[in-house]
């Protein structure tokens, strides 16, 4: 007999064993440390067959910063089953339970890292986060000259660096395009999961942290995890620090959360290999909560939007949106999404548009949504167009 349960501390060892088997990971003290920390900060779901764990999933409560608006977001991770229990709808049951609990907690969004984009689209998720991966040979690195020296770079372990860099991250505009608001436990988790990460911090003359680079050396490659800076001066110092490793590594690689490639920062852009790669997916969980808090750019006259969501029926229907001097009004006027509407859209395409991954005009042009020209263009003009950026993984 199969039972879907919310798991607790007593299920940790069984969940960990399933995790090792499902993802062919090797047990180690280091892995147990970061896994236990993630487990303890998550909502744990499992299906037990004859009282033995057969499938499991974590739902990790976070908050994200979307252009100054802070939303609840749950990250889905460790979605897994033993092979003999696959193909019987276990993941659908786990997802449905997690969605229901998120709705109850007024969670606006959910993110996940897919093993298959097609698989998770059936649950309403869509690709909204891309990365730009830069690769350059050490012989092609630029020569960085700083005319007037001020401040200094200090090298620290990630654990030592956190007190200095967490505010730089939190205040950086690059973390405000749907990026995580990193709580202290998440910073500590990153230390447990990535013991090899080091940090170069630029301190101004008054010893205030003004920028940092997180990196590690992997064989002959200098791998950059994250760069955050506050001004041109800090940017120059960080670039010089990176380039000063040219005699130690043959290749330099940076996987940036900014999906826009910037090869023009080099005098010879052809020297750097730039590749845009799909990264993580997202979906709107509580549509009403997300839209009510959305930072619209302009006023919107009354617009009827028909939304289809196969997994979360509460989002289905005709919604009337209006933004004026009194604020945002977003109310459901019909439970039947087939009734009269100005725009028709699935929850997936709406997620892409509202998060800024694709414009409504683009989606309408390729037939991903349907609506009158006036309604689409008017609503599109009010939405955020900055590409969403995610610097974390779970």
């Amino acid at each position: 007999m199969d039972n879907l349960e919310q798991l607790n501390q007593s299920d940790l060892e069984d969940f960990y064993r399933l995790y090792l088997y499902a993802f062919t990971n090797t047990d180690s003290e280091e892995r147990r440390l970061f896994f236990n920390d993630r487990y303890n900060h998550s909502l744990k779901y499992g299906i037990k067959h004859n009282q033995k764990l057969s499938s499991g999933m974590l739902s990790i409560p976070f908050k994200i910063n979307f252009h100054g608006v802070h939303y609840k977001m749950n990250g889905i991770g460790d979605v897994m089953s033993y092979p003999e229990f696959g193909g019987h709808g276990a993941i659908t049951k786990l997802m449905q339970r997690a969605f229901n609990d998120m709705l109850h907690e007024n969670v606006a969004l959910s993110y996940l890292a897919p093993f298959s984009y097609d698989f998770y689209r059936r649950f309403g998720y869509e690709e909204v986060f891309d990365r730009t991966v830069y690769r350059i040979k050490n012989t092609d690195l630029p020569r960085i000259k700083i005319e007037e020296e001020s401040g200094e770079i200090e090298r620290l372990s990630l654990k030592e660096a956190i007190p200095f860099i967490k505010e730089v991250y939190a205040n950086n505009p690059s973390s405000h395009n749907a990026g995580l608001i990193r709580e202290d436990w998440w910073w500590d988790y990153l230390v447990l999961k990535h013991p090899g990460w080091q940090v170069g911090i630029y301190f101004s003359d008054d010893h205030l942290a003004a920028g940092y680079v997180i990196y590690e050396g992997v064989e002959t490659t200098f791998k950059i995890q994250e760069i955050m800076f506050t001004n041109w001066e800090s940017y120059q110092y960080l670039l010089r620090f990176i380039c000063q490793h040219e005699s130690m590594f043959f290749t330099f690689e940076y996987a940036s959360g900014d999906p826009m490639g910037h090869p023009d920062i080099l005098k010879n852009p052809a020297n750097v290999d730039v590749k845009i790669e799909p990264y993580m997916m997202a979906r709107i969980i509580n549509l009403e909560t997300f839209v009510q808090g959305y930072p619209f750019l302009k006023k919107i006259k009354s617009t009827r939007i028909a939304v289809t969501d196969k997994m979360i029926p509460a989002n289905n229907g005709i919604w009337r949106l209006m933004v004026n001097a009194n604020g945002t009004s977003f109310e459901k006027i019909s439970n039947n999404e087939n009734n009269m509407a100005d725009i028709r859209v699935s929850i997936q395409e709406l997620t892409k548009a509202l998060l800024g991954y694709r414009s409504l005009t683009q989606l309408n042009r390729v037939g991903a949504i349907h609506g009158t020209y006036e309604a689409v263009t008017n609503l599109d003009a009010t939405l955020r167009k900055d590409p969403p950026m995610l610097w974390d993984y779970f």
Side-chain angles (χ1 to χ4, degrees):
M1 176 138 183
D2 292 345
N3 293 312
L4 195 161
E5 303 176 13
Q6 188 159 338
L7 307 179
N8 54 42
Q9 196 63 28
S10 65
D11 298 296
L12 171 59
E13 186 63 25
D14 289 341
F15 198 94
Y16 181 64
R17 289 295 164 188
L18 172 55
Y19 158 80
L20 292 178
Y21 192 91
F23 298 108
T24 62
N25 287 319
T26 303
D27 185 22
S28 67
E29 182 179 353
E30 179 183 290
R31 187 178 297 279
R32 280 181 178 268
L33 283 173
F34 75 73
F35 180 87
N36 289 358
D37 193 50
R38 184 169 72 219
Y39 184 91
N40 291 334
H41 284 91
S42 301
L43 299 171
K44 289 81 69 172
Y45 300 96
I47 293 178
K48 294 182 180 180
H49 180 76
N50 295 331
Q51 300 184 343
K52 291 185 178 181
L53 189 66
S54 59
S55 302
M57 185 180 78
L58 297 182
S59 178
I60 315 171
F62 291 108
K63 289 183 180 178
I64 62 118
N65 187 328
F66 186 70
H67 302 283
V69 180
H70 295 180
Y71 287 110
K72 288 183 179 181
M73 183 280 293
N74 278 31
I76 298 297
D78 297 332
V79 183
M80 54 197 180
S81 294
Y82 282 113
E84 61 269 30
F85 296 104
H88 298 290
I91 303 307
T92 299
K93 294 175 185 176
L94 291 170
M95 282 286 189
Q96 191 65 71
R97 171 65 184 274
F99 289 162
N100 290 341
D101 288 350
M102 285 186 236
L103 280 173
H104 184 261
E105 293 298 322
N106 215 27
V107 174
L109 297 161
S110 176
Y111 299 171
L112 62 77
F115 76 92
S116 164
Y117 292 89
D118 184 55
F119 179 81
Y120 282 108
R121 279 179 171 139
R122 71 181 70 174
F123 301 110
Y125 288 87
E126 252 304 338
E127 177 194 354
V128 298
F129 296 106
D130 294 336
R131 299 192 304 173
T132 303
V133 180
Y134 302 86
R135 293 183 181 89
I136 188 170
K137 296 178 182 177
N138 60 344
T139 53
D140 292 325
L141 289 171
R143 296 292 177 263
I144 307 296
K145 294 181 180 181
I146 299 175
E147 294 182 2
E148 186 174 341
E149 298 281 343
S150 64
E152 62 181 356
I153 290 278
E154 290 187 23
R155 282 185 298 107
L156 299 173
S157 68
L158 179 58
K159 184 176 182 179
E160 295 170 326
I162 288 172
F164 303 106
I165 68 175
K166 63 180 183 180
E167 291 303 319
V168 178
Y169 169 84
N171 295 328
N172 197 293
S174 294
S175 71
H176 300 172
N177 291 7
L180 288 194
I181 297 173
R182 291 177 180 162
E183 297 182 16
D184 288 345
W185 83 264
W186 184 251
W187 280 110
D188 294 338
Y189 170 78
L190 293 177
V191 172
L192 294 174
K193 189 174 183 183
H194 305 286
W197 281 7
Q198 299 182 70
V199 185
I201 308 177
Y202 170 71
F203 289 97
S204 59
D205 283 335
D206 51 5
H207 205 70
L208 293 176
Y212 67 87
V213 55
I214 301 176
Y215 67 95
E216 67 176 333
V218 181
E219 297 179 346
T220 62
T221 300
F222 185 90
K223 285 184 171 286
I224 301 168
Q225 305 298 329
E226 186 170 293
I227 303 175
M228 294 284 171
F229 53 92
T230 56
N231 51 39
W232 172 248
E233 184 178 62
S234 59
Y235 178 62
Q236 287 287 92
Y237 269 86
L238 293 173
L239 286 184
R240 186 174 71 173
F241 173 73
I242 293 167
C243 294
Q244 285 170 331
H245 291 79
E246 63 178 346
S247 64
M248 300 170 60
F249 300 94
F250 293 125
T251 306
F252 287 69
E253 180 179 299
Y254 176 34
S256 171
D258 182 350
M260 306 296 290
H262 302 284
D264 55 301
I265 63 173
L266 296 176
K267 288 184 178 180
N268 186 359
N271 286 341
V272 60
D273 177 57
V274 183
K275 187 177 181 181
I276 308 298
E277 295 182 349
Y279 191 41
M280 290 179 68
M281 305 179 83
R283 68 118 63 223
I284 294 170
I285 297 293
N286 191 317
L287 178 61
E288 184 174 10
T289 294
F290 186 58
V291 175
Q292 288 284 9
Y294 191 90
F296 291 101
L297 296 172
K298 297 179 180 180
K299 296 178 181 179
I300 305 170
K301 63 182 181 180
S302 181
T303 303
R304 295 164 299 178
I305 305 171
V307 180
T308 304
D309 188 337
K310 295 179 180 178
M311 290 296 296
I312 303 180
N315 292 332
N316 283 328
I318 309 295
W319 296 83
R320 182 166 56 206
L321 171 65
M322 187 164 51
V323 179
N324 55 33
N326 296 320
T328 298
S329 172
F330 187 66
E331 60 177 343
K332 185 182 288 190
I333 58 176
S334 173
N335 288 317
N336 185 353
E337 64 271 19
N338 294 316
N339 284 345
M340 187 74 70
D342 303 300
I343 299 173
R344 298 187 178 279
V345 60
S346 70
I347 198 67
Q348 291 152 293
E349 304 303 331
L350 190 57
T351 299
K352 290 198 290 189
L354 292 179
L355 285 179
Y357 185 72
R358 291 285 181 263
S359 72
L360 283 175
T361 303
Q362 290 173 315
L363 295 173
N364 192 47
R365 188 182 302 132
V366 299
I369 70 169
H370 300 281
T372 66
Y373 176 82
E374 181 182 12
V376 170
T377 53
N378 286 345
L379 180 57
D380 202 21
T382 72
L383 302 184
R384 299 283 174 164
K385 298 297 190 300
D386 302 299
M389 300 183 191
L390 186 61
W391 304 88
D392 293 278
Y393 182 90
F394 37 84

